[in-house]
Amino acid sequence: MLPGTGSGPTIPSPPLVLVVRPRRAPDAPQLARILINQEESRVRDEAGAVVRAKLTITYRRLADNPERHPHPTRRFLACYAREWDDRARISLASHSPTGGAILLDLEGLEGNRIGSFLMNLVVAWARQWPDAEVNPIILLAHQAHGDNTIRRNRLYEQFGIVFAYTDDTKAAGTAREMRAAQLQPWAHLPENLSVLPLKSAFDEQHRELDALRQSQQTMQLRDRALRGELQRAMAHPLRFAARRIWYRHAALLVGAASLVVLGGLSLLARVR
């Protein structure tokens, strides 16, 4: 039983939008935008010290096409708990200090550091309690598939988590004991990721919609002009054909006419 009673207030952080570009081509057009929300709840003892805390990070890929069904919302979870003997424990993967799992479901965006970004938020949060023991993460062999094994292991190892692997394939293993102070958050954001406050993301989207609206209006004007041209061509086909011949061969016709005129002038000069 942990000290403290009841549920602490939920404290939301301002939502943000993660703009994702290809990891190997950070200057390329964006691949996706991920809406991220963070909420924290805390329980304190009579002295005001935190005895329990929970972090909930929700993420959802924003639809690229307005007609597309919304993408599902997923979660990253973490928690802190202080025991009666003042020992503290942190889980980087659950609201339970003794269990949990991390699942990243963003089909088609694998390998672009989105999971690492979310885990970095968890790691930075956990370091508030540097002396807390980090609940060991267990890697299971059936979760390892080809390149996914490297990505999965790297997700944790980049933050200072060291594993004792069962064999050279590194498909299975258990994280060594460590404290939160040993976790290593990112020193800087990767080049292919950028973060926008929600208001800035909306402003940028509004500008993009304005550009698309202007492009659509231009296309509509061109379409209207082409339809008018087609109607005139159908009403006066010979006139239309003559105009098309003139537009396509004006230079040649003018040149030929010039030669005829010059030839006529030359002939008149000889007659005289």
Side-chain angles (χ1 to χ4, degrees), residues 73-86:
T73 298
R74 306 296 188 189
R75 300 190 304 171
F76 265 43
L77 306 176
C79 74
Y80 164 83
R82 197 181 80 201
E83 301 174 355
W84 284 104
D85 58 1
D86 280 341

Side-chain angles (χ1 to χ4, degrees), residues 16-22 26 28-36 62 109 112-114 117 189-197 200-201 204 208:
L16 58 88
V17 174
L18 181 67
V19 180
V20 183
R21 291 179 169 80
Q30 67 183 33
L31 294 173
R33 294 182 181 185
I34 313 296
L35 177 63
I36 298 174
L62 298 177
L109 296 175
N112 288 296
R113 302 190 176 106
I114 301 171
F117 179 88
L189 200 64
E191 292 183 353
N192 72 306
L193 301 179
S194 57
V195 176
L196 291 175
S200 298
E204 183 175 304
E208 292 175 356

Side-chain angles (χ1 to χ4, degrees), residues 189-227:
L189 200 64
E191 292 183 353
N192 72 306
L193 301 179
S194 57
V195 176
L196 291 175
L198 191 58
K199 181 181 181 301
S200 298
F202 277 134
D203 289 344
E204 183 175 304
Q205 188 174 44
H206 183 70
R207 288 192 294 270
E208 292 175 356
L209 288 174
D210 279 345
L212 288 173
R213 192 177 296 112
Q214 291 177 8
S215 177
Q216 183 183 35
Q217 290 174 350
T218 301
M219 292 177 65
Q220 289 174 342
L221 290 173
R222 289 188 59 188
D223 180 68
R224 193 176 299 123
L226 289 173
R227 286 177 181 273

Side-chain angles (χ1 to χ4, degrees), residues 44-62:
R44 300 178 182 273
D45 61 17
E46 295 179 353
V50 176
V51 293
R52 290 200 299 272
K54 294 180 180 180
L55 175 68
T56 302
I57 300 174
T58 58
Y59 66 93
R60 179 168 66 89
R61 181 176 181 177
L62 298 177

